Every structure is written in structure tokens, then in C-alpha cells.
């Protein structure tokens, strides 16, 4: 008995030691204590034996993996009171989101231990009782306690929060007068629908009156916002001197003029930006203004549960629509089916959000298609992480690939600073992409069609193999692509309506991608004059005249002993782009053929390291076109 006890104890100790070296064991235990003692109806993938960092849903660790810094569990269905001494042990926690659950009870008193807290989202729960003493969280930046049952007064301790940018207390039962919240950083506020009384303090008169609505507050004449509600709060608070003194009249005039000038500049910039965007189909990168993706526009007013982001199982993200909307965003480009944005969430998670236009099916069909696409789990298919469907907005969320697409790798600015894609990488792109498409073609009883294969939809996975994205949208959208667009060069001759794409047309498009990898040329490019040249036709013409290296990318010439492989790959590509759909090989055959090219490589050639060492000629200066 005794011996057994000691044995298990030692085992436990070994376990602890092995865990400590690799991950924050105590933080992990705190989370397990939390989740095991608070009922919830959505299951979490929090397996005790899997690593907490990068694996548990909604959990983020610090860069060195020593502490947990973010816990985001919106809409998990937690009900009851937060068990004491659980979450509060995560003393390095910066972000806590438990929004949209049914958590009740008072604000947990042990949260005072979360000294590093920056973002606190507890909105849409069933908390009650007084608000806490805020002075302990010196770094609090966003506080969202709206839509709960908090009562009592708004505490003066908020004045300690010099970093506070957003304070949402709407839809509670707060009473008493609103304190004079002279907070230098405060930019967003909503106190509506409480039981507050008195008048609006001087420091908060810059906010629109809607943030005080639904209270018993007297609005005197001077309490009206001084400028248009849209512009006043942020611009004023940004320009306000840090020490918070009242601004003199001349200074105010200066600010107004400056604001006007800035506004004009912004307007001019916007117009220029729009022009530039119109000129270049792809690659426009600009900052997406909040306005473009504003919450008012995208979140429908009814907060019903069906209107949430839908995440696929095993997804490691824990953000919701609001996070996404608040994220800083950048336009990545205009794709065939709508705009793509890069969104950086406040915890630095980066995702790609595609905003679909012209979806021509209802919610049921859309969801069904997303279900098919989202459940394809393959290393060569870019995972769909989440989607959102409402009447006005359809979003798809994918991982972000910092290296950019194969298109940008191939056709990005050449010359100085450009790292040429070597042959090995190109082969890996070809093999990976082929395997990904073959996997897609095996879906729904061997019927699923990708429908939009092009190099700008291909990325490199963590093993640097090709990985395809943007699949399965042709059947549910009216393609936006105008006739002469980038996609046009990939379209098989038999496809007149993109919605009617079939698997052989995917094979054709893949063949064009192979040609792109081999030639380094865009599927539609110009030679010398204004003449548009179709890549497939161009390759055919070169090959017909003389089977030479003319056709291959100049960047590839510096790698020795690859001609044979390139020629073989060219034959595969040409087999894919034959005119008659039924004469094209099936995707699994294409995979086998490309894998055979690699086998030659493995048997007969030195490894890639040796090769790159032995070949040091300077990159040839390339003039495209
Ligand atoms: C946890 O992971 C282990 C091994 O990784 C597995 O055997 C076990 O079934 C998992 N448990 C749950 C509840 O998923
Ligand atoms: C988490 O780890 C388990 C086993 O340890 C693994 O099966 C699973 O794929 C991992 N999940 C993620 C999202 O990394
Ligand atoms: C607050 O933030 C500052 C700057 O990021 C940091 O140095 C400090 O340690 C933080 N305070 C706490 C209690 O985490
Ligand atoms: C929320 O709390 C109130 C009492 O504070 C209770 O009457 C109500 O049932 C709770 N709602 C839920 C969904 O638990
Ligand atoms: C706070 O929650 C409300 C919903 O009650 C939402 O409208 C608002 O955007 C949130 N604000 C922040 C900064 O989280
Ligand atoms: C706040 O609500 C609690 C019950 O949730 C009640 O006991 C308390 O008296 C209320 N306090 C105020 C100031 O209304
Ligand atoms: C900051 O918090 C402390 C402790 O609660 C309090 O004594 C002090 O008055 C607060 N400062 C301000 C400016 O409210
Ligand atoms: C408060 O609740 C009302 C009705 O439930 C809702 O329309 C409003 O958006 C909520 N306000 C905030 C700021 O969440
Ligand atoms: C609102 O506050 C007044 C006193 O200011 C109080 O008489 C009334 O009961 C409160 N209403 C609610 C719904 O709490
Ligand atoms: C504050 O919330 C109310 C609803 O509770 C809403 O009508 C109002 O527009 C919000 N104001 C701002 C500035 O968000
Ligand atoms: C609103 O406030 C005034 C005084 O500020 C008070 O006389 C009145 O009873 C309050 N109304 C409600 C509904 O609480």
C-alpha cells in the first residue's frame, strides 16, 4: 500500500518536472481547476495530456511559453459562479474574455491578483452586485462589463486607470451620479440603459448623448456634444495634452483648424488611394478604415446566438465577431469572390478574412457548403477556420501566411532583394498543390470542385509544400471576375460560366500553375508591345518551334542538373492543359507523375544543400517582358 502510494507520488513528481520544463504547469492546473468546476455546454479540447500552449482552445502563452497571457472563451456556455482561486492564479494574464456566457454572482474578488490585466471582456453574462475597485489593475485598457446585472454606483477608482481607452457599462442597473471621469486615454464609452441620474460631467461631454441614453440624466444645453459625434471623441482625446488641463480658446481654434486640414488631407489621400486601387487589380495594400468594416454595419443589432462566428472543431482560435471587427485590418487584395483582409487581433493573432460578395444561396446551403469545405483537413489544403453568415455579410476566416502567395513569390518585384524561388521549392509547391487538389476532388463522393485554382490561392505550409485555398465557392457565388482578369488565364477553354467548373477544369488550371512555376511568367502577360499573351499558347508556340530551355524561367538557370526534371514537369503541365477535358489526366494521376519527378531527384542528385553550395553564379539580371 505504502509502496504503491510512494510510487504514484514519484510518477506524479516526474510528470510535474517534465511538464515544468516545457510549459506553464501551474497555470495549466489553474485552468483545469476552473473548467472542471464550472459547468459549460460546449466541450473544450483541453486535454490534460496535451500541451496547453498552442493547443488548448482559447489559450495563449507568452512568447517563451512560461506563462499563460490570454484566455478567451466567449460563448462556451459557462453557467454559475466563477470558482474562486482558479482564473485568479493566472497572475500574468493580460487578456480575459468570458463574454457571452451565463456566468452569475458578484465580480470575482480574487481577480485583484490579475495585476497585468489589460483587456477585460465580461459582457453578456449574468453578473450582479457592485463594480469592483478598479485601482488594482493599473494597465487596464479595455473594460467591457455591459449587459450584466451590476448595480451600485460607478466607482471613483476608475480614475486610477490612466491607460483606459474603452469603458462599456451599458445595460446594467448602475445608479447614482456619473463621476467626473478625467481619463486621458478614454475614447469609447457607453453607459446607456442604467439607472444613472444627475447631469453629464464636464469631462464626458465630448461623447455623443446616445452613450448616456436610457438613464435619468438631465441634458442641459451645454451638454450636447460639441462636434459631430463621429469625429469628436477620438480626435479630441488624441490631441488633448497629457496633463489634462483645460485647453485655451486659441489652442482650441488651432485644433479645429488642424483637424480640418487633417480631414482634408485624409480625404485627398482616400481619393488617391481609390484611384491607385482601381488601376491595379491585385496587390493594393491600404489600411482598412474602421468605417469600412464598422460594427454597426456588420453586427446585426439582435445579438442572438445564431449570429456568431462559426468555428470548426479543433480550431485553436478564441475570438469572436467583435474581436474581429475591432482588429486592425489591411486590404490584401480583391479576389474572385470579394475582398480579402489581413486582420490583426489585439493579442497579435493574425488571420485572413474574406468578405464574400454576391453569394447566391440561402443560409442553409451556405452552411452546408462551409461544412464540406471546413471539414477537409489536409496538410495541403488551407484550413477554413470559421465563417459568418448574415443577410448582409458573409465572412470566411483563414490562417494568415506571412510569406504571401506563390503568385507574389513568383511575380513580385524581381531584381535586388528578391529571393528567387529555387527549383526544390517549386517542386514542393507543385507536389503539395497537386495533393491538395486531389484531396478536394475526393470529397463529396468524388464530386467536389475547387473552381478557382491560381497561384495567388496557393501558399506554403509549414513544411514549405504547396497548400491550396479558396475552394468550393464557385457553386455558391456569382463570380465577380471580369472577363479579362487574372483568373482568366487559368480558365479551361470549356468553362464559359465559372459556376459550371468541373474537375477537369481544375486540372487545366493546375497545369497553368505548373507552367507558371516553370516559366516564371504570369498566365496572361505582355511581350514587348501591348499584345496580351496567353501562357499556354506561348508555351505551345515555343515548344513547337524547338524543344529548348527558352521556355524556362531565367531564375532557374543557375541550378545545375535540373533540366531533365524541368522537361518532365513541362510534359506533365502540357498534359494537364490539353484542350479536350476528357483527355486530361485525373488529379491522383497527376500527383503520381509529379512524385516520380521527385524520385529521380532523390536517387540521382546530391542533396539540395550540396547543390546550392556548388552553384554560386550571381543571379542573372532579369527583365520581365
Ligand atoms: C487526451 O489525449 C490522450 C493522448 O493524447 C488521448 O489518449 C485521450 O483520449 C485524450 N483524452 C480526451 C478526453 O480527449
Ligand atoms: C493538440 O494535441 C493533440 C495531441 O497532443 C493533437 O492530436 C491535436 O491535433 C492538437 N491540436 C492542435 C490544435 O494543435
Ligand atoms: C503595465 O505595463 C507596463 C508597460 O507595458 C509594464 O512595464 C508593467 O509591468 C505592467 N504592470 C503590470 C502590473 O503588469
Ligand atoms: C440571471 O440572474 C437572475 C438573478 O440575478 C436570475 O433571476 C436569472 O434567472 C439569471 N439568468 C440566467 C440565465 O441564469
Ligand atoms: C462591449 O460590448 C458591447 C456589447 O454590449 C459591444 O457593443 C461593444 O462593442 C464592446 N466594446 C468593446 C470595446 O469591447
Ligand atoms: C444590488 O443587487 C443585490 C442583489 O443582486 C442587492 O442585494 C443589493 O442590495 C443591490 N444594491 C444596490 C445598491 O441596489
Ligand atoms: C487610486 O486608488 C486608490 C486606492 O483605491 C485611491 O485611494 C485613490 O484615490 C485612487 N486615485 C484616484 C485618482 O482616484
Ligand atoms: C442594451 O440592450 C439593448 C436591448 O437588449 C440592446 O439593443 C443594446 O444594443 C444593448 N446595448 C449595448 C451597448 O450592448
Ligand atoms: C433607479 O433609481 C431610483 C433612485 O435614484 C430608485 O428609486 C429606482 O428604484 C431605481 N430603479 C431601478 C430599476 O433600479
Ligand atoms: C450606446 O449604447 C446604446 C444602446 O444601449 C446605443 O443606442 C448607442 O448608439 C451606443 N452609443 C455608442 C456611441 O456606442
Ligand atoms: C429622475 O431624477 C429626478 C431628479 O434628478 C428625480 O426627481 C426623479 O424622480 C427621477 N426619476 C426616476 C424615474 O427615477
Amino acid at each position: 500500500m505504502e509502496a504503491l502510494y510512494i510510487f504514484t507520488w514519484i510518477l506524479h513528481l516526474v510528470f510535474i518536472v517534465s511538464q515544468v520544463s516545457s510549459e506553464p504547469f501551474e497555470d495549466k492546473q489553474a485552468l483545469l481547476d476552473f473548467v472542471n468546476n464550472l459547468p459549460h455546454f460546449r466541450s473544450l479540447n483541453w486535454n490534460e495530456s496535451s500541451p496547453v500552449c498552442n493547443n488548448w482552445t482559447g489559450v495563449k502563452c507568452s512568447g517563451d511559453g512560461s506563462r499563460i497571457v490570454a484566455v478567451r472563451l466567449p460563448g462556451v456556455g459557462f453557467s454559475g459562479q466563477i470558482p474562486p482561486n482558479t482564473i485568479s492564479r493566472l497572475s500574468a494574464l493580460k487578456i480575459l474574455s468570458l463574454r457571452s456566457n451565463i456566468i452569475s454572482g458578484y465580480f470575482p474578488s480574487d481577480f485583484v491578483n490579475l495585476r497585468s490585466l489589460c483587456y477585460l471582456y465580461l459582457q453578456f453574462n449574468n453578473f450582479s452586485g457592485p463594480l469592483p475597485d478598479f485601482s488594482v489593475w493599473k494597465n487596464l485598457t479595455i473594460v467591457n462589463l455591459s449587459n450584466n446585472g451590476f448595480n451600485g454606483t460607478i466607482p471613483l477608482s476608475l480614475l486610477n486607470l490612466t491607460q483606459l481607452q474603452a469603458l462599456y457599462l451599458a445595460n446594467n442597473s448602475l445608479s447614482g451620479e456619473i463621476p467626473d471621469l478625467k481619463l486621458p486615454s478614454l475614447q469609447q464609452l457607453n453607459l446607456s440603459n442604467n439607472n444613472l441620474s444627475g447631469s453629464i460631467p464636464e469631462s464626458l461631454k465630448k461623447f455623443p448623448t446616445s452613450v448616456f441614453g436610457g438613464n435619468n440624466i438631465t441634458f442641459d444645453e451645454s451638454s450636447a456634444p460639441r462636434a459631430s459625434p463621429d469625429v469628436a471623441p477620438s480626435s479630441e482625446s488624441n490631441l488633448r495634452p497629457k496633463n489634462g488641463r483645460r485647453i485655451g480658446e486659441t489652442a482650441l481654434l488651432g485644433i479645429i483648424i488642424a483637424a480640418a486640414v487633417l480631414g482634408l488631407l485624409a480625404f485627398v489621400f482616400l481619393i488617391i488611394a481609390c484611384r491607385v486601387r482601381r488601376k491595379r487589380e491585385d496587390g493594393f495594400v491600404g489600411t482598412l478604415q474602421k468605417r469600412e468594416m464598422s460594427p454597426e454595419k456588420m453586427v446585426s443589432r439582435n445579438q442572438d446566438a445564431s449570429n456568431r462566428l462559426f468555428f470548426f472543431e479543433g480550431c485553436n482560435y478564441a475570438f469572436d465577431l467583435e474581436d474581429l471587427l475591432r482588429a486592425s485590418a489591411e486590404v490584401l487584395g480583391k479576389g474572385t469572390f470579394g475582398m480579402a483582409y489581413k486582420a490583426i487581433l489585439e493579442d497579435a493573432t493574425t488571420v485572413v478574412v474574406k468578405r464574400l460578395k454576391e453569394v447566391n444561396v440561402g443560409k442553409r446551403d451556405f452552411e452546408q457548403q462551409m461544412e464540406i469545405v471546413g471539414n477537409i483537413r489536409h496538410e495541403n489544403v488551407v484550413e477554413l477556420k470559421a465563417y459568418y453568415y448574415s443577410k448582409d455579410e458573409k465572412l470566411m476566416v483563414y490562417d494568415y501566411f506571412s510569406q504571401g502567395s506563390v503568385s507574389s513569390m513568383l511575380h513580385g518585384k524581381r531584381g535586388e532583394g528578391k529571393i528567387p524561388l529555387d527549383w526544390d521549392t517549386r517542386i514542393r509547391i507543385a507536389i503539395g498543390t497537386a495533393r491538395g487538389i486531389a484531396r478536394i476532388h475526393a470529397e463529396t463522393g468524388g464530386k467536389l470542385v475547387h473552381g478557382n485554382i491560381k497561384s495567388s490561392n496557393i501558399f506554403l505550409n509549414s513544411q514549405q509544400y504547396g497548400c491550396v485555398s479558396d475552394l468550393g465557392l464557385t457553386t455558391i457565388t456569382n463570380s465577380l471576375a471580369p472577363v479579362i482578369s487574372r483568373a482568366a488565364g487559368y480558365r479551361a477553354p470549356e468553362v464559359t460560366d465559372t459556376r459550371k467548373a468541373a474537375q477537369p477544369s481544375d486540372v487545366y488550371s493546375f497545369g497553368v500553375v505548373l507552367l507558371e512555376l516553370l516559366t516564371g511568367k504570369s498566365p496572361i502577360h505582355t511581350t514587348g508591345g501591348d499584345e496580351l499573351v496567353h501562357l499556354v499558347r506561348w508555351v505551345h508556340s515555343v515548344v513547337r518551334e524547338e524543344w529548348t530551355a527558352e521556355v524556362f524561367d531565367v531564375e532557374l538557370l543557375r541550378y545545375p542538373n535540373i533540366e531533365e526534371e524541368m522537361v518532365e514537369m513541362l510534359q506533365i503541365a502540357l498534359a494537364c492543359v490539353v484542350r479536350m477535358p476528357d483527355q486530361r489526366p485525373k488529379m491522383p494521376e497527376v500527383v503520381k507523375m509529379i512524385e516520380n519527378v521527385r524520385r529521380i531527384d532523390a536517387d540521382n542528385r546530391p542533396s539540395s544543400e550540396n547543390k546550392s553550395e556548388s552553384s554560386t553564379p550571381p543571379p542573372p539580371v532579369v527583365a520581365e517582358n
Side-chain angles (χ1 to χ4, degrees):
M1 222 30 207
E2 190 81 16
L4 186 66
Y5 176 76
I6 290 175
F7 180 63
T8 52
W9 184 79
I10 287 175
L11 260 188
H12 193 69
L13 196 70
V14 167
F15 180 64
I16 290 176
V17 169
S18 71
Q19 292 295 306
V20 160
S21 56
S22 59
E23 61 170 350
F25 177 76
E26 284 172 12
D27 282 358
K28 185 178 183 178
Q29 201 53 51
L31 278 183
L32 283 171
D33 289 348
F34 167 71
V35 79
N36 291 335
N37 289 294
L38 189 60
H40 51 283
F41 52 72
R42 228 180 73 190
S43 70
L44 293 168
N45 69 342
W46 289 11
N47 189 330
E48 203 168 341
S49 52
S50 65
V52 61
C53 302
N54 305 317
N55 190 295
W56 285 19
T57 296
V59 181
K60 284 272 151 68
C61 297
S62 52
D64 60 1
S66 64
R67 295 304 304 271
I68 288 172
V69 295
V71 172
R72 310 167 134 272
L73 299 167
V76 176
F78 287 119
S79 63
Q81 302 190 10
I82 291 181
N85 196 27
T86 56
I87 292 278
S88 60
R89 274 145 60 199
L90 305 173
S91 54
L93 201 65
K94 287 196 167 82
I95 304 173
L96 177 62
S97 170
L98 296 171
R99 87 183 73 200
S100 304
N101 284 290
I102 333 164
I103 301 173
S104 54
Y106 281 16
F107 188 96
S109 57
D110 59 4
F111 276 16
V112 298
N113 297 322
L114 304 175
R115 300 279 162 150
S116 304
L117 210 56
C118 296
Y119 305 99
L120 179 63
Y121 304 99
L122 299 177
Q123 71 267 32
F124 290 109
N125 274 291
N126 210 4
F127 284 107
S128 58
L131 294 176
D133 176 358
F134 285 97
S135 58
V136 291
W137 302 293
K138 297 272 188 292
N139 282 354
L140 262 184
T141 308
I142 294 179
V143 174
N144 203 331
L145 303 177
S146 59
N147 296 284
N148 277 289
F150 288 113
N151 65 8
T153 57
I154 297 176
L156 274 168
S157 57
L158 282 167
L159 284 168
N160 274 312
L161 306 183
T162 51
Q163 311 293 317
L164 193 67
Q165 287 174 13
L167 178 64
Y168 283 83
L169 299 174
N171 288 336
N172 280 289
S173 304
L174 300 170
S175 53
E177 296 202 1
I178 302 170
D180 197 8
L181 294 175
K182 287 202 193 81
L183 292 166
S185 312
L186 192 65
Q187 283 167 26
Q188 297 177 51
L189 178 77
N190 205 332
L191 305 177
S192 64
N193 299 330
N194 278 289
N195 195 16
L196 298 162
S197 53
S199 58
I200 298 168
E202 197 62 35
S203 58
L204 302 180
K205 282 185 179 163
K206 64 183 179 183
F207 292 103
T209 48
S210 74
V211 312
F212 305 105
N215 287 292
N216 186 12
I217 284 171
T218 49
F219 297 96
D220 54 41
E221 215 178 303
S222 62
S223 73
R226 272 186 294 247
S228 117
D230 270 23
V231 190
S234 54
S235 56
E236 209 177 304
S237 57
N238 287 345
L239 290 163
R240 185 173 287 223
K242 270 259 146 57
N243 58 19
R245 258 186 292 140
R246 295 288 315 272
I247 310 164
E249 255 176 57
T250 34
L252 194 64
L253 193 68
I255 287 169
I256 290 170
I257 292 171
V261 170
L262 274 177
L264 194 70
L265 279 177
F267 184 67
V268 168
F269 173 75
L270 247 167
I271 287 181
I272 292 173
C274 286
R275 287 259 170 85
V276 171
R277 185 199 300 197
R278 224 164 279 147
K279 266 185 205 155
R280 287 187 288 163
E281 260 276 304
D282 273 313
F284 170 76
V285 175
T287 307
L288 174 71
Q289 298 300 322
K290 254 220 149 91
R291 218 162 292 258
E292 264 190 78
M293 219 175 167
S294 69
E296 293 81 57
K297 224 169 146 191
M298 282 172 59
V299 189
S300 74
R301 246 141 245 108
N302 58 334
Q303 294 277 354
D304 82 279
S306 62
N307 240 342
R308 294 223 185 100
L309 270 183
F310 180 85
F311 286 92
F312 289 100
E313 225 174 296
C315 172
N316 205 28
Y317 291 135
F319 52 82
D320 61 18
L321 197 58
E322 284 171 34
D323 291 318
L324 206 55
L325 297 171
R326 226 179 3 256
S328 70
E330 196 178 273
V331 176
L332 284 175
K334 189 173 164 193
T336 312
F337 305 112
M339 294 296 275
Y341 302 95
K342 167 186 174 185
I344 304 169
L345 298 156
E346 73 218 353
D347 66 346
T349 301
T350 308
V351 293
V352 172
V353 180
K354 285 206 170 146
R355 207 172 173 189
L356 300 181
K357 290 278 176 219
E358 310 271 334
V359 169
N360 63 8
V361 294
K363 187 167 184 172
R364 183 74 57 84
D365 288 342
F366 183 85
E367 284 174 348
Q368 204 175 5
Q369 186 72 358
M370 291 298 111
E371 207 59 42
I372 293 167
V373 170
N375 284 317
I376 297 180
R377 293 297 152 99
H378 191 271
E379 55 185 352
N380 303 115
V381 179
V382 175
E383 235 174 73
L384 174 64
K385 294 291 187 178
Y387 68 83
Y388 172 82
Y389 184 101
S390 73
K391 217 171 109 244
D392 318 306
E393 201 68 55
K394 285 96 191 156
L395 306 174
M396 297 174 82
V397 181
Y398 299 92
D399 273 332
Y400 175 71
F401 292 86
S402 57
Q403 287 171 291
S405 68
V406 168
S407 173
S408 64
M409 288 174 205
L410 277 173
H411 313 304
K413 242 199 197 141
R414 294 199 167 193
E416 248 178 274
K418 161 101 165 39
I419 307 156
L421 269 185
D422 61 33
W423 178 239
D424 278 8
T425 309
R426 292 187 202 206
I427 285 197
R428 282 196 302 269
I429 291 169
I431 289 181
T433 308
R435 287 177 184 155
I437 299 169
R439 171 67 186 81
I440 292 164
H441 283 184
E443 194 61 36
T444 53
K447 290 262 163 41
L448 190 63
V449 173
H450 183 296
N452 194 23
I453 293 166
K454 51 180 178 173
S455 58
S456 57
N457 279 335
I458 300 170
F459 302 88
L460 292 191
N461 69 12
S462 51
Q463 284 88 44
Q464 306 294 298
Y465 278 76
C467 195
V468 279
S469 179
D470 218 30
L471 57 134
L473 294 177
T474 42
T475 51
I476 58 169
T477 55
N478 298 318
S479 168
L480 277 184
V483 179
I484 301 185
S485 74
R486 283 198 144 220
Y490 297 93
R491 192 173 302 163
E494 76 274 11
V495 179
T496 46
D497 178 343
T498 46
R499 276 170 291 171
K500 303 219 175 80
Q503 291 192 350
S505 52
D506 277 352
V507 173
Y508 181 95
S509 306
F510 174 72
V512 177
V513 171
L514 279 186
L515 291 178
E516 240 181 308
L517 289 169
L518 286 163
T519 63
K521 291 192 184 342
S522 298
I524 289 185
H525 59 276
T526 54
T527 49
D530 301 330
E531 202 193 346
L532 274 181
V533 179
H534 198 293
L535 182 58
V536 174
R537 253 173 260 152
W538 180 77
V539 170
H540 272 130
S541 70
V542 174
V543 167
R544 213 178 298 126
E545 279 167 27
E546 40 172 342
W547 188 274
T548 61
E550 287 284 294
V551 86
F552 298 118
D553 190 349
V554 198
E555 277 186 355
L556 289 174
L557 298 183
R558 62 207 206 106
Y559 306 106
N561 309 323
I562 61 169
E563 291 81 6
E564 223 174 293
E565 285 181 10
M566 292 199 302
V567 168
E568 248 183 88
M569 198 69 99
L570 181 62
Q571 283 167 331
I572 298 169
L574 291 176
C576 291
V577 297
V578 297
R579 198 163 183 87
M580 300 307 292
D582 53 355
Q583 285 171 13
R584 293 174 204 148
K586 301 265 179 298
M587 223 45 223
E589 297 167 43
V590 176
V591 173
K592 276 205 203 97
M593 290 192 269
I594 299 178
E595 281 171 350
N596 281 332
V597 174
R598 244 320 51 169
R599 202 161 297 139
I600 292 167
D601 163 64
D603 292 341
N604 299 349
R605 274 199 312 124
S607 77
S608 56
E609 280 83 10
N610 298 341
K611 187 186 50 175
S612 52
E613 259 168 19
S614 64
S615 66
T616 44
V621 182
V622 181
E624 270 249 86
N625 309 334

